[in-house]
Amino acid sequence: IGDTFRDVKCAQRAGAFAVMVHTGYGKGELEYHPERGLVIPDHQASDILDAAAWIVARERSRETGGRDA
C-alpha cells in the first residue's frame, strides 16, 4: 500500500500486489504526474481502510476459489 507511483513500482518489482491510496501524495500523483500512470497499481483506494478492505476481500476470494464464502 502506497501513495506514490514509486511505491507501486517497488511493490511490483518485489512481486507483490500494489495498492495506491488517494490520501497523502496519492491524489497529487494522479492529478499532477499522469505520465507516471504508466505504472498501474492493482487497485486504487480512497484511503488505507479501503485498501485494507480490498486486500481482505481479495484474500477471501482466493481462499474460496473465487466463490463467496
Side-chain angles (χ1 to χ4, degrees):
I1 299 174
D3 64 349
T4 66
F5 287 115
R6 182 181 293 175
D7 296 334
V8 171
K9 195 172 198 174
C10 181
Q12 291 171 340
R13 284 184 176 171
F17 286 95
V19 179
M20 185 171 194
V21 292
H22 294 182
T23 52
Y25 291 109
K27 192 170 183 180
E29 286 274 295
L30 294 166
E31 288 180 11
Y32 300 112
H33 302 290
E35 73 281 358
R36 295 182 189 164
L38 297 175
V39 177
I40 300 171
D42 296 293
H43 181 69
Q44 290 187 32
S46 57
D47 55 30
I48 192 80
L49 184 60
D50 182 31
W54 180 81
I55 292 168
V56 169
R58 188 182 168 287
E59 287 303 307
R60 284 187 180 151
S61 177
R62 278 185 26 172
E63 289 172 359
T64 62
R67 299 178 308 275
D68 290 334

